[in-house]
Amino acid sequence: MNVMLLGAPGAGKGTQAARIVEEFGLVHLSTGDILRKAVADGTPLGIEAKRHMDAGGLVPDEVVIGLVQERITQPDALEHGVLFDGFPRTIPQAEALGAALAESGLALDAVVSVDVDPEAIVTRITSRRQCRACGAIFNVVTDGDLETCTQCGGEVYQRDDDTEATVRKRLEAYQAQTSKLIPYYSEHGTLHTVDGNQAPADVYAAIADILRAIG
Ligand code: AMP
């Protein structure tokens, strides 16, 4: 089963993705996580990506598409299926993904759009924290201002692009480009919509119902 999570920055895709991969055994493909790792490792790709990420813009399509093409053809992805999180973000990325999946004889079984009120997003993102080691996501309002991860003991930090000014730019990129994927997938795929304003456990219950029905 190959599944995609769509949603604005801060919609809760990362939080839901962690739960989904645990229950359904999919390979979690987060282009944001791959890019942050490249930045942390100081690779040429990371240096190029950081400029765009810090400015709240999108990394060029060809760079991200190349990363995804490489990942989805690895044996674990072919065997277990993939959960796409944060990819695609543009129509050309969606088209490239469709072509790459078709080439491997694969299909997208579900696209789940997590819908959140735009006013809630800036507060959600600026209070978000993440574990540098395992990627677990926390929130200072609900979890307190943690210094170490409750799951692995790693360092909890605030992403460089989770500041208010950058969030506003990321939301502009979402409106201008990524939001177009919702009409695209209602035409070219199986689009399901869940209410992302609910508590994380309730959002997960709604997503899991959809995936159990198709899985
Ligand atoms: P995320 O962790 O998904 O919020 O992504 C963080 C940042 O990485 C984004 O604001 C973009 O700069 C970059 N990024 C992640 N995924 C993509 C993508 N599919 N296309 C272009 N840029 C991306």
Side-chain angles (χ1 to χ4, degrees):
M1 169 161 84
N2 295 295
V3 177
M4 179 187 295
L5 283 180
L6 282 183
K13 298 186 297 297
T15 301
Q16 296 303 327
R19 295 174 187 224
I20 295 167
V21 297
E22 198 179 323
E23 176 172 347
F24 294 91
L26 303 174
V27 168
H28 183 194
L29 199 168
S30 156
T31 41
D33 284 350
I34 296 173
L35 293 168
R36 276 185 289 282
K37 167 119 188 9
V39 172
D41 292 345
T43 64
L45 164 72
I47 292 165
E48 147 100 4
K50 187 168 170 31
R51 272 191 311 126
H52 301 284
M53 295 167 82
D54 285 352
L58 296 182
V59 173
D61 283 340
E62 59 277 15
V63 173
V64 186
I65 289 168
L67 292 174
V68 171
Q69 279 169 338
E70 191 191 311
R71 187 65 188 92
I72 63 174
T73 48
Q74 287 175 14
D76 61 339
L78 293 170
E79 186 183 343
H80 300 294
V82 174
L83 176 65
F84 296 94
D85 163 12
F87 178 91
R89 267 178 154 94
T90 65
I91 299 281
Q93 290 180 18
E95 288 172 342
L97 176 64
L101 288 172
E103 209 169 285
S104 304
L106 302 170
L108 203 50
D109 300 289
V111 177
V112 180
S113 168
V114 184
D115 233 13
V116 277
D117 290 338
E119 311 84 70
I121 287 179
V122 175
T123 317
R124 272 189 183 209
I125 299 191
T126 51
S127 58
R128 171 163 67 187
R129 298 293 182 271
Q130 190 162 17
C131 172
R132 222 183 263 287
C134 76
I137 297 168
F138 302 100
N139 182 293
V140 288
V141 178
T142 51
D143 302 312
D145 201 356
L146 299 170
E147 283 178 10
T148 51
C149 175
T150 53
Q151 322 220 342
C152 79
E155 182 202 353
V156 172
Y157 80 117
Q158 181 175 34
R159 280 171 44 174
D160 291 345
D161 60 347
D162 274 355
T163 58
E164 185 165 342
T166 310
V167 171
R168 294 201 185 278
K169 294 275 180 224
R170 288 164 63 199
L171 288 172
E172 282 170 24
Y174 175 79
Q175 281 309 336
Q177 310 217 57
T178 312
S179 65
K180 311 240 175 336
L181 295 175
I182 293 173
Y184 177 87
Y185 280 114
S186 55
E187 227 179 277
H188 295 90
T190 325
L191 183 75
H192 304 265
T193 302
V194 300
D195 177 4
N197 299 299
Q198 310 171 86
D202 296 325
V203 178
Y204 181 68
I207 297 175
D209 278 350
I210 294 166
L211 301 188
R212 284 184 204 123
I214 62 165

